[in-house]
Amino acid sequence: MLILGLESSCDECAVAVVEDGKKIHSNVITTQIDQHKVFNGVVPEIASRLHTEWIYSVTEKALEESGFTLQDMDGIAVTSRPGLVGSLLVGLSFAKGLSAASGIPFLTIDHMKAHVYAPFLEYDIEYPFIGLIVSGGHSIICKVYSFDDIEVLGTTVDDACGEAFDKVAKHYNLGYPGGVVIDRLAKEGNPKAFHFPQPDLSKRGNPYLVSYSGLKTAVINQLEQFHNKNYPITNENIAASFQKTAIDILTKRTIKAAKEHGLSRIVAGGGVSANSYLRSSLKEAKGFDTYFPSMKLCTDNGAMIAGLAYHYFKEGKVSSYSESASSRVSGFKTK
Ligand code: KG4
Ligand code: ZN
């Protein structure tokens, strides 16, 4: 079964052709980073306008590179949530148009479910497992029973992890996207230069909750207070110390979740799963099989949308043309 997958939830305009949820025939990703970096963040109005300009040619390119035509497709899938609504609507409306004109079945996909599906494009992974879905807008520690059955164990009570990377980078004028630059700078810095506090959320009664606003404030406004005077204050040292704290918050809870649920498999996805320290620290954790998407599949792409969509189409699921876009996640179970 050949699926065309479209993704326009944020600043990547991406389209892919994937066969049977696994075989990537094409995966075209165009990014608007250059257009947004002067603002140190994504400007929603600019993002949606660029999607409108780009989506037709990105789709044409994805089909051309795959060696198939639109008429060869068995399904057209598109991200409809969560994300920037103006950007989502471009992909969604375009996909509806393609489907209506061609008669090919249409399906909307949840972006976060697609992120945790991304490693399935490269590995055979058994359910259930502990999922860590971390992006610019979300930080979700979950138990994944199937491609569509996900129970949220913990999430952020304030900022998302990727958002904290972006805001720290913006404050220190390090560049955009923050995660990529901080990861790079951190390699030259010492994580012991600052001893930033980890959030204490014990009073909230859920050991899997995370928080980033306190850490962000400490890094931005209380640098001196947490400084170890044996090391100089440099961007590299700030990046290394911040990154270690931000990532340790996630790994500690993810490993605890795996142990307490008796699961040895951990699967990560989303932009932050590209982080080199996150990848090495989870891979080093003894007794677990950890799966990360390859770098190209960590951040937003159409292959994860087309790959996940296959499993719904196989069950005969299709979406109505009256479906709209939403900025929020939906369809995740909570206790
Ligand atoms: O999944 P994604 O491409 O878009 C959203 O769905 O939000 O994730 C983007 C986020 C940004 O916050 C970016 O700074 C972060 O992922 N990111 C990273 C790294 N690469 C991207 N964060 C930490 N380390 C990285 N290497
Ligand atoms: Zn994403």
Side-chain angles (χ1 to χ4, degrees):
M1 195 185 270
L2 286 167
I3 309 296
L4 184 75
L6 297 94
E7 158 62 44
S8 70
S9 66
C10 193
D11 59 344
E12 267 86 32
C13 187
V15 182
V17 173
V18 177
E19 184 173 359
D20 294 346
K22 198 96 191 165
K23 187 160 193 254
I24 301 175
H25 288 283
S26 65
N27 187 20
V28 179
I29 304 170
T30 54
T31 181
Q32 307 174 353
I33 286 175
D34 283 347
Q35 284 81 356
H36 297 287
K37 73 177 171 206
V38 283
F39 306 101
N40 273 320
V42 179
V43 182
E45 169 83 14
I46 295 176
S48 54
R49 283 174 185 269
L50 287 173
H51 284 306
T52 306
E53 287 175 28
W54 293 1
I55 195 137
Y56 183 86
S57 52
V58 174
T59 304
E60 262 196 328
K61 189 155 185 257
L63 283 167
E64 192 186 303
E65 284 187 9
S66 75
F68 295 102
T69 66
L70 180 63
Q71 285 310 328
D72 294 324
M73 298 298 118
D74 299 293
I76 296 171
V78 61
T79 306
S80 66
R81 64 196 174 278
L84 301 170
V85 171
S87 289
L88 287 165
L89 285 172
V90 177
L92 185 63
S93 305
F94 185 76
K96 284 180 186 176
L98 272 187
S99 166
S102 63
I104 299 167
F106 161 78
L107 186 74
T108 62
I109 289 289
D110 183 289
H111 183 82
M112 305 316 287
K113 285 183 182 164
H115 267 313
V116 79
Y117 181 81
F120 282 76
L121 293 161
E122 300 167 299
Y123 304 98
D124 294 319
I125 309 169
E126 274 177 43
Y127 293 102
F129 55 78
I130 293 298
L132 174 64
I133 321 176
V134 269
S135 67
H138 296 84
S139 314
I140 301 171
I141 295 166
C142 51
K143 189 168 175 183
V144 183
Y145 298 91
S146 79
F147 66 91
D148 188 42
D149 189 3
I150 302 182
E151 179 187 354
V152 177
L153 302 174
T155 181
T156 181
V157 298
D158 40 55
D159 294 347
C161 183
E163 188 181 353
F165 273 87
D166 294 335
K167 285 182 176 164
V168 167
K170 183 173 182 174
H171 178 82
Y172 288 105
N173 240 324
L174 304 178
Y176 166 84
V180 179
V181 226
I182 289 180
D183 197 347
R184 196 172 59 230
L185 283 173
K187 292 195 172 77
E188 313 296 323
N190 193 321
K192 293 193 182 129
F194 299 88
H195 191 74
F196 295 123
Q198 290 215 11
D200 175 13
L201 298 163
S202 54
K203 288 201 187 78
R204 293 181 184 245
N206 177 347
Y208 307 118
L209 294 177
V210 300
S211 161
Y212 283 98
S213 86
L215 172 62
K216 183 189 67 191
T217 307
V219 180
I220 292 177
N221 299 320
Q222 302 161 334
L223 204 55
E224 289 289 349
Q225 197 180 324
F226 300 103
H227 182 210
N228 177 341
K229 306 275 185 295
N230 296 321
Y231 304 93
I233 296 184
T234 61
N235 284 344
E236 288 79 3
N237 284 344
I238 296 170
S241 306
F242 161 72
Q243 174 174 276
K244 177 168 169 31
T245 313
I247 298 299
D248 285 350
I249 290 171
L250 294 174
T251 47
K252 216 159 104 182
R253 287 158 176 78
T254 304
I255 289 169
K256 184 180 173 64
K259 282 186 180 158
E260 294 202 350
H261 288 83
L263 292 170
S264 60
R265 287 177 296 278
I266 296 174
V267 178
V272 181
S273 70
N275 186 266
S276 57
Y277 176 62
L278 173 64
R279 294 171 89 93
S280 62
S281 42
L282 268 185
K283 281 190 176 143
E284 278 160 21
K286 296 222 169 8
F288 300 101
D289 295 322
T290 53
Y291 298 89
F292 284 88
S294 60
M295 294 310 237
K296 197 178 175 186
L297 296 174
C298 285
T299 43
D300 295 347
N301 64 86
M304 66 182 190
I305 306 301
L308 173 57
Y310 160 74
H311 297 273
Y312 292 104
F313 278 126
K314 205 171 65 172
E315 290 182 352
K317 199 170 169 226
V318 289
S319 300
S320 145
Y321 288 146
S322 58
E323 268 208 39
S324 192
S326 166
S327 60
R328 303 179 71 90
V329 188
S330 68
F332 280 58
K333 288 196 300 202
T334 44
K335 273 213 171 127

